[in-house]
Amino acid sequence: MSSSKRASASAPCNLTILGYDLHEHGGTSVGVALDKRIRCETQISDSFMVNGDIYDRNRFPYVRAALLNGWSDIDTPVAFEIDDIEVPGNVSGYRSAHIASALGSLSIMNDNLMFEDIVLKGHAVLKENKSRAGILELSTAINGYGTVSSNDIGEGHLWSIGEGKKAVHIHHLDVPDMTFVLGFLNENVASRNMSGKIDSIARRQGGFIKDMYKDSAKLAKQGLEALKRGDMAGVGHAMNETDKLTKIMGMYTPELKVLAKTCRSRAYGVRLCVSESHAYVAALTNEPEELASMIREKGHVAMIAGISRDGLQI
């Protein structure tokens, strides 16, 4: 083990703009790193702690799984300080940035920093918490820029998870500057359990959902080509068409529909995103301040986010 008693790492939150980041999705999906970061500092301690409080496995399930998968001496307590003051817990990619930064700092403490190893451990963390998420967001948090998941290995290949036809291959993607506005419902209407809703829909409409995933993968390929050209209108069109699939699958609530309609008035493209038990609307726009003001005037919360070129940083 390292003689160092302290290590830190930070990772960006991120957004799946095309396709879906789900284990059962398959096909093509595209993620981008956002300029909102989570920083995690670890140090040897007298007891396991998180942000000055005694560690509670129920409050911090991802910290628990990170310890089990990423700490070489579980008998030696570690204290975590997680700085996420500017990032709401329901923002897309919060979970993956949280996991990546925690595992990154632990890797430094273990003198064993390998990004692919962190992806594998992070994937185990997700599975242990019974998450439906795939590895796109986790890979984007580690790589930065943009990432593409697909069934085949192509240009810019970074790493793969799984074997044979079930393998998911992650690739680096250079992306142009883009600006997103993330719209969150106010606290009075934001407490719906969206993860439970996803599980219910998947159980009742399994075959139908698979067809939707196939259609979304085709749209992701179209949007990816537009992204490579720097065609924001083309990217936005693919986002909008993907969002129609999300609506058909029954993921929208009435309140989210109203929020999405507000966003469409000043955006190239809009899509519903689900992170943990929360849902929010992401809009690709060249009028971020105006759109953010409109969302706030409706009584909701808006965050403006650009692209991060930096992934996991030590």
Side-chain angles (χ1 to χ4, degrees):
M1 182 184 300
S2 170
S3 60
S4 172
K5 299 297 183 182
R6 186 186 299 265
S8 65
S10 70
C13 293
N14 51 86
L15 173 65
T16 301
I17 60 173
L18 300 166
Y20 298 96
D21 181 32
L22 297 168
H23 284 305
E24 64 268 37
H25 178 245
T28 301
S29 298
V30 179
V32 293
L34 303 177
D35 57 2
K36 308 296 179 185
R37 303 183 69 84
I38 294 177
R39 182 175 181 272
C40 179
E41 184 175 280
T42 62
Q43 61 180 324
I44 303 298
S45 177
D46 293 331
S47 59
F48 288 103
M49 304 184 72
V50 179
N51 289 358
D53 294 329
I54 298 298
Y55 162 70
D56 182 335
R57 59 187 295 177
N58 295 316
R59 287 180 59 199
F60 305 105
Y62 293 117
V63 169
R64 173 182 179 274
L67 280 167
L68 293 176
N69 288 277
W71 185 226
S72 62
D73 186 1
I74 203 65
D75 292 325
T76 300
V78 176
F80 292 84
E81 287 291 334
I82 300 173
D83 179 10
D84 57 1
I85 294 173
E86 297 181 356
V87 181
N90 56 351
V91 70
S92 182
Y94 173 90
R95 167 186 54 201
S96 57
H98 187 156
I99 294 170
S101 60
L103 287 173
S105 61
L106 288 173
S107 295
I108 293 297
M109 299 281 280
N110 288 329
D111 285 332
N112 181 32
L113 180 65
M114 295 180 61
F115 283 3
E116 187 169 357
D117 182 57
I118 293 175
V119 172
L120 292 170
K121 290 176 179 176
H123 188 234
V125 170
L126 291 170
K127 289 195 296 183
E128 287 178 19
N129 283 274
K130 298 180 180 180
S131 172
R132 299 173 64 90
I135 63 165
L136 181 66
E137 286 189 2
L138 184 62
S139 296
T140 308
I142 294 169
N143 181 66
Y145 290 87
T147 54
V148 179
S149 66
S150 68
N151 294 331
D152 303 302
I153 295 177
E155 182 180 356
H157 178 251
L158 293 169
W159 42 70
S160 302
I161 298 292
E163 298 179 352
K165 293 182 179 180
K166 293 185 177 180
V168 177
H169 307 287
I170 301 295
H171 306 79
H172 170 86
L173 177 68
D174 285 323
V175 293
D177 288 334
M178 294 186 284
T179 305
F180 297 90
V181 172
L182 312 181
F184 305 89
L185 295 173
N186 66 57
E187 292 182 357
N188 294 328
V189 293
S191 59
R192 300 175 187 272
N193 188 339
M194 296 301 294
S195 60
K197 188 172 186 178
I198 293 174
D199 290 339
S200 176
I201 292 172
R203 285 194 301 269
R204 289 185 286 106
Q205 306 179 56
F208 170 71
I209 295 298
K210 288 181 179 179
D211 288 338
M212 295 293 100
Y213 289 162
K214 289 179 181 179
D215 290 342
S216 76
K218 293 177 183 177
L219 288 168
K221 288 183 177 180
Q222 296 173 15
L224 176 58
E225 292 306 311
L227 185 57
K228 290 178 179 178
R229 297 192 304 268
D231 175 9
M232 294 300 103
V235 175
H237 175 74
M239 289 177 63
N240 287 331
E241 292 301 307
T242 301
D243 196 58
K244 289 179 182 178
L245 300 178
T246 304
K247 190 174 295 184
I248 291 171
M249 286 188 280
M251 290 308 303
Y252 266 98
T253 65
E255 298 89 350
L256 286 167
K257 286 181 180 179
V258 173
L259 181 58
K261 183 177 180 180
T262 298
C263 291
R264 291 188 197 287
S265 66
R266 289 184 180 270
Y268 293 115
V270 173
R271 72 169 302 180
L272 182 71
C273 298
V274 178
S275 182
E276 298 294 322
S277 61
H278 303 281
Y280 69 98
V281 176
L284 173 62
T285 180
N286 63 352
E287 300 179 86
E289 296 294 344
E290 293 84 351
L291 178 52
S293 293
M294 291 174 64
I295 293 172
R296 290 164 185 151
E297 287 172 2
K298 299 286 186 180
H300 300 301
V301 178
M303 172 187 284
I304 298 174
I307 297 295
S308 174
R309 309 295 175 186
D310 299 316
L312 179 62
Q313 290 188 318
I314 305 303

